[in-house]
């Protein structure tokens, strides 16, 4: 047994002897000594450096596996996996650190260096490292240099914002929008004024506030406020007064708001609003309350001036009354919304009277012509803060300042004329007149709009003689296509009308 146990040991010793002899022959004494030294070092330091390297390798493997898992899940949910277009691929290549480093000096951007850019749903984003000679504001002022380095099209919006760390800026090229594929048609269940183009989320604005809206011709100024007006007109505690000297937008809202269309009407309504404001403030004083409580009888009043420059030119005598509303109307729940496509505060027929501009809490700016107009609407520090409304696309894209939002553009919901016409009729605000010795004193009332309940009867009368197609119904009734279609849907549901053929309708037998 002892001999049998010793045999493997002797064989192993013999193998080690032969291996040592071969290594000695191949490496020599010096080589073998070096090999033994390396082995000794590895065994000695494995508990420190070698094991630390092992831990780092394991952490890196888990990190890459986690990222791969997140990417896979997000890709399956359709949230990433954005494929770059040809233009985006070119911009990504030029934003890469190697290309930027090679060309920054020649474009006046020495001392800046990009990190690896990323393509998102709202465009291309790259962090930019700034040396001691650069600031975020200085890089923003060098926008043309950045465009030249990238070869970016003039229409592309370039944004520079502070980075997440000191000494860094965030450069964004708006090659796409988070709402590019969104359906922007307004429906009653839509929330707010529109969607944030960076995040795709709904954006709301306070409706009981003083507001300024400006935008150049064709930017969509009148259409922008339609979703807000629809919400206001549906509120029984709110009334709308619209000053529309152009006689365009007001015609759509005449059954839901009081419309002033001439200089005389503007001065009259301004006088009534001033008297109403003062009466409310007098009633508030003994109560100790800070603001008026709206009711259906004496509601909150939103005064919308559709074009401020026209009021300054045609009804100049009404400007002091509107200035008074801007200064004092908030406590009385009378709020001024001033709109203009001429964002100036000086010269003949200024679009924004200075006394009114100073009181505006919320400011909305569509595309305007120059940075000077941007500063007039959004404040003197607008350019430094990235509020570059003169670079916005149009129509229907705006910046909102005064609600805590940053300079992220908003795409507004779209309401066409027919959609406005089909809104339910509302009530018209007017101030009753004092009849001498008769009490009580003047007070605000809401007079009902003449009902449009005969619309259904018009359709039924047009169908009395037989089947009629929709175009003929529109012509015979004088109603819009949207209204006719809506009424036909109701009549079909109630069984009073049936389809007599393709595009034809007739009275049901029961009717």
């Amino acid at each position: 047994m002892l001999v049998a146990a010793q045999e493997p040991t002797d064989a192993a010793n013999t193998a080690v002897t032969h291996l040592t002899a071969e290594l000695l022959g191949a490496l020599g004494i010096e080589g073998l000594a070096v090999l033994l030294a390396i082995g000794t070092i590895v065994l000695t330091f494995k508990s420190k450096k070698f094991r630390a390297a092992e831990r780092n390798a394991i952490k890196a493997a888990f990190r890459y596996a986690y990222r791969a898992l997140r990417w896979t899940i997000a890709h399956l949910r359709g949230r990433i996996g954005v494929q770059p277009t040809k233009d985006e691929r070119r911009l990504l290549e030029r934003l890469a650190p190697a290309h930027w480093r090679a060309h920054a000096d020649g474009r006046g951007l020495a001392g800046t260096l990009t990190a690896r850019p990323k393509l998102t749903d709202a465009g291309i984003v790259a962090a930019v490292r700034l040396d001691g000679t650069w600031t975020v504001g200085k890089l923003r002022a060098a926008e043309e240099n950045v465009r030249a380095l990238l070869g970016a099209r003039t229409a592309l919006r370039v944004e520079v914002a502070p980075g997440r760390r000191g000494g860094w800026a965030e450069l964004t090229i708006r090659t796409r929008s988070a709402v590019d594929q969104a359906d922007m048609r307004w429906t009653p269940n839509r929330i707010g004024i529109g969607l944030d183009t960076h995040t795709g989320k709904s954006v709301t604005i306070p409706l009981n506030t003083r507001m300024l809206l400006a935008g150049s011709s064709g930017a969509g100024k009148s259409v922008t406020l339609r979703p807000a007006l629809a919400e206001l007109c549906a509120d029984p505690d709110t009334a709308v007064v619209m000053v529309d000297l152009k006689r365009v937008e007001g015609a759509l809202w005449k059954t839901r708001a009081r419309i002033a269309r001439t200089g005389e009407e503007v001065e009259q309504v301004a006088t009534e609003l001033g008297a109403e404001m003062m009466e409310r403030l007098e009633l508030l004083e003994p109560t100790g309350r800070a603001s008026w409580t709206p009711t259906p009888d004496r509601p909150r009043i939103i005064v919308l001036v559709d074009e401020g420059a026209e009021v300054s030119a045609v009804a100049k005598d009404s400007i002091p009354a509107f200035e008074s509303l801007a200064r004092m109307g908030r406590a009385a729940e009378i709020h001024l919304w001033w709109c203009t496509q001429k964002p100036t505060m000086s010269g003949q027929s200024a679009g924004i009277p200075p006394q009114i501009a100073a009181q505006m809490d919320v400011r909305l700016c569509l595309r305007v012509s120059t940075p000077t107009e941007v500063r007039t609407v959004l404040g003197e520090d607008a350019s430094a803060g990235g509020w570059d409304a003169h670079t916005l696309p149009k129509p229907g894209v705006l910046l909102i300042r005064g609600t805590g939002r940053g300079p992220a553009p908003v795409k507004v919901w779209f309401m066409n004329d027919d959609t406005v016409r089909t809104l339910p009729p509302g009530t018209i605000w007017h101030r009753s007149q004092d009849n001498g010795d008769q009490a009580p004193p003047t007070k605000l009332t809401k007079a009902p709009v003449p009902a449009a309940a005969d619309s259904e009867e018009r359709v039924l009368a047009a169908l009395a003689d037989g089947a009629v197609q929709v175009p003929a119904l529109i012509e015979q009734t004088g109603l819009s296509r949207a209204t006719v279609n809506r009424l036909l849907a109701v009549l079909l549901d109630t069984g009073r009308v049936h389809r007599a053929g393709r595009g034809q309708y007739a009275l049901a037998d029961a009717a």
Side-chain angles (χ1 to χ4, degrees):
M1 292 291 292
L2 180 61
V3 174
Q6 288 179 342
E7 286 180 358
T9 303
D10 293 339
N13 289 337
T14 302
V16 170
T17 301
H18 285 297
L19 179 61
T20 303
E22 290 178 2
L23 287 173
L24 186 61
L27 301 175
I29 294 184
E30 295 85 354
L32 186 58
V34 170
L35 182 62
L36 292 173
I38 292 173
T40 302
I41 291 172
V42 169
L43 291 174
T44 302
F45 289 95
K46 181 178 179 181
S47 62
K48 295 180 180 180
K49 294 183 179 179
F50 188 78
R51 290 183 179 179
E54 284 181 330
R55 286 195 301 271
N56 291 336
I58 293 172
K59 288 181 180 178
F62 272 102
R63 192 159 50 244
Y64 283 115
Y66 176 68
R67 290 177 180 174
L69 180 62
R70 286 184 59 189
W71 187 93
T72 302
I73 294 174
H75 182 69
L76 292 175
R77 292 179 178 178
R79 285 191 283 185
I80 64 172
V82 180
Q83 296 300 315
T85 63
K86 183 178 179 180
D87 286 343
E88 288 173 334
R89 193 174 294 111
R90 177 176 53 81
L91 289 170
L92 288 167
E93 292 172 353
R94 296 187 178 186
L95 274 169
H99 185 277
W100 188 282
R101 185 186 298 109
H103 296 85
D105 291 0
R107 294 297 184 180
L109 296 168
T112 65
L113 181 64
T114 57
R116 188 175 65 178
K118 299 178 182 178
L119 177 61
T120 70
D121 288 337
I124 299 174
V125 181
V128 182
R129 189 180 67 195
L130 308 174
D131 68 8
T133 64
W134 284 90
T135 63
V136 174
K138 185 177 178 181
L139 182 61
R140 187 180 292 120
E143 178 185 323
E144 293 305 318
N145 304 61
V146 174
R147 287 183 180 276
L149 192 155
L150 301 178
R153 293 180 287 108
T154 305
L156 282 180
R157 182 177 170 85
V158 176
E159 300 173 2
V160 179
R164 298 181 180 180
R165 295 176 290 170
W168 287 78
E170 186 173 88
L171 175 65
T172 304
I173 315 296
R174 297 295 175 191
T175 55
R176 57 180 68 198
S177 165
V179 299
D180 283 342
Q181 306 303 320
D183 182 1
M184 297 306 299
R185 290 175 297 180
W186 180 87
T187 59
N189 61 340
R190 296 293 198 190
I191 299 174
I193 194 172
L195 297 179
D196 188 307
T197 59
H198 293 184
T199 65
K201 296 181 178 179
S202 297
V203 177
T204 59
I205 56 174
L207 301 180
N208 57 338
T209 189
R210 296 164 294 192
M211 190 159 61
L212 174 64
L213 170 64
S216 60
S217 178
K221 178 174 56 65
S222 297
V223 176
T224 294
L225 291 179
R226 288 181 179 180
L229 288 175
E231 183 177 346
L232 291 171
C233 292
D235 182 1
D237 292 336
T238 301
V240 176
V241 174
M242 182 181 294
V243 175
D244 180 29
L245 292 168
K246 290 186 174 182
R247 303 192 180 197
V248 178
E249 186 68 15
L252 298 173
W253 298 90
K254 61 185 179 181
T255 62
R256 301 161 193 88
R258 178 172 177 179
I259 312 298
R261 301 167 299 168
T262 66
E264 293 77 10
E265 290 177 354
V266 172
E267 292 176 5
Q268 174 62 33
V269 78
T271 300
E272 292 183 27
L273 289 166
E276 178 62 28
M277 178 185 69
M278 295 309 300
E279 184 177 317
R280 291 187 181 191
L281 294 177
E282 290 173 2
L283 292 173
L284 273 176
E285 188 174 3
T287 68
R289 289 184 287 119
S291 62
W292 185 262
T293 301
T295 65
D297 290 332
R298 304 195 77 168
R300 173 187 301 109
I301 305 175
I302 302 298
V303 184
L304 173 62
V305 177
D306 187 67
E307 179 47 66
E310 288 297 315
V311 175
S312 298
V314 178
K316 190 173 183 178
D317 292 342
S318 67
I319 294 296
F322 288 121
E323 291 175 340
S324 181
L325 288 176
R327 290 192 302 268
M328 304 167 58
R330 186 171 186 174
E333 284 289 352
I334 302 177
H335 305 284
L336 180 64
W337 291 9
W338 192 272
C339 308
T340 185
Q341 65 182 28
K342 187 181 178 183
T344 59
M345 288 193 292
S346 60
Q348 187 176 5
S349 301
I352 313 171
Q355 291 292 324
I356 290 177
Q359 304 299 326
M360 297 292 104
D361 302 316
V362 178
R363 296 162 180 260
L364 282 63
C365 193
L366 294 149
R367 173 71 178 264
V368 291
S369 301
T370 66
T372 300
E373 293 180 337
V374 175
R375 290 192 293 271
T376 300
V377 180
L378 298 178
E380 288 297 328
D381 62 339
S383 297
W387 300 85
D388 301 322
H390 59 291
T391 65
L392 290 173
K394 62 180 184 179
V397 179
L398 55 80
L399 301 181
I400 303 174
R401 193 168 193 184
T403 62
R405 287 178 47 80
V410 176
K411 180 72 172 178
V412 300
W413 303 120
F414 176 69
M415 291 179 68
N416 60 25
D417 295 355
D418 284 340
T419 303
V420 177
R421 293 190 187 99
T422 57
L423 293 174
T427 52
I428 303 298
W429 173 88
H430 74 277
R431 183 176 170 83
S432 60
Q433 299 299 315
D434 186 1
N435 296 321
D437 297 333
Q438 297 180 9
T442 58
K443 60 182 293 185
L444 182 69
T445 61
K446 294 186 76 178
V449 177
D454 64 330
S455 297
E456 185 175 285
E457 297 302 322
R458 292 189 206 175
V459 174
L460 293 173
L463 297 173
D465 296 330
V468 181
Q469 292 187 331
V470 172
L473 280 175
I474 295 172
E475 182 178 355
Q476 293 178 37
T477 61
L479 302 173
S480 67
R481 178 179 294 273
T483 301
V484 169
N485 287 334
R486 177 173 58 81
L487 292 172
L488 286 173
V490 173
L491 293 171
L492 284 169
D493 289 341
T494 57
R496 303 177 68 187
V497 166
H498 71 93
R499 287 187 176 88
R502 186 175 181 179
Q504 288 187 329
Y505 296 85
L507 295 179
D509 293 339

